[in-house]
Amino acid sequence: NLMEVVPVITTRKLDRLPESISWEDIQQLLTMPDRNTPTGRRDLAVMMLCIHYGVRIGQVTTLKLEDIHWEDGFICFAGCKWSNSLRLPLHEDVVQALFDYIKKDRKNSEHEEVFLTLRGKQRPLSEHNHYAANFQKYYVKAGIDSKFKGSRHFRHAFATRLLSQKVSIKTIAD
């Protein structure tokens, strides 16, 4: 019986890259929201934040206007799970998507949250808003076949892209 001499190889959950979609698919998804509708403009802004910063959907849906420092050129995301809060530079594409949504659809709401509901009286999105349903239609429209059709792939594609640019896994994790 050779079982006693065969080494046991432990594999940890984070020893491999999580499932993701290609960066080309991500770029295709960004073309799917209809920028002529309130839903499309909001969804595009949400997607841009998730994709360009690799943050969780909860960090985006709870983003407040005071977290966006337009003149100083940075944006702050509250920490969630085990992560610290983040202070990152504003990307020009993200600024444009946010301006389009805020100026045309959010208007002068009394709420401090950036992203609000579009039907009925405006109110902040829930922190645990199941935004995946909003994204699923874009996956289908883009013809992207994936087991998951939510914002998780945005984070993973962001991390994979950084890894391909020789950024260390430690830096990406931090």
Side-chain angles (χ1 to χ4, degrees), residues 13-20 156 159-160 163-164 169 172:
K13 181 180 175 186
L14 298 177
D15 282 350
R16 63 195 180 287
L17 290 175
E19 182 181 329
S20 183
H156 296 172
T160 302
L163 199 58
S164 73
I169 290 180
I172 294 168

Side-chain angles (χ1 to χ4, degrees), residues 36-88:
N36 296 314
T37 67
T39 301
R41 286 187 291 269
R42 185 189 64 187
D43 289 351
L44 178 64
V46 169
M47 287 170 67
M48 293 285 274
L49 288 166
C50 290
I51 290 166
H52 286 284
Y53 298 107
V55 293
R56 290 180 169 84
I57 191 68
Q59 291 173 285
V60 172
T61 57
T62 58
L63 187 69
K64 296 182 176 31
L65 290 170
E66 67 190 29
D67 296 330
I68 306 169
H69 301 265
W70 305 102
E71 300 209 358
D72 296 324
F74 67 89
I75 187 168
C76 295
F77 295 97
C80 73
K81 289 196 176 184
W82 306 280
S83 67
N84 295 323
S85 57
L86 300 169
R87 179 182 175 194
L88 301 165

Side-chain angles (χ1 to χ4, degrees), residues 107-149:
K107 301 186 179 158
N108 294 321
S109 173
E110 73 269 5
H111 297 288
E112 58 187 28
E113 290 81 6
V114 173
F115 297 104
L116 306 173
T117 58
L118 296 172
R119 290 189 210 123
K121 186 176 184 213
Q122 282 188 327
R123 64 184 188 290
L125 297 174
S126 163
E127 179 180 350
H128 303 289
N129 184 288
H130 298 290
Y131 218 89
N134 294 47
F135 296 141
Q136 284 177 356
K137 64 184 174 192
Y138 301 125
Y139 277 82
V140 171
K141 188 175 175 184
I144 298 170
D145 185 31
S146 175
K147 187 163 81 172
F148 303 105
K149 293 181 172 62

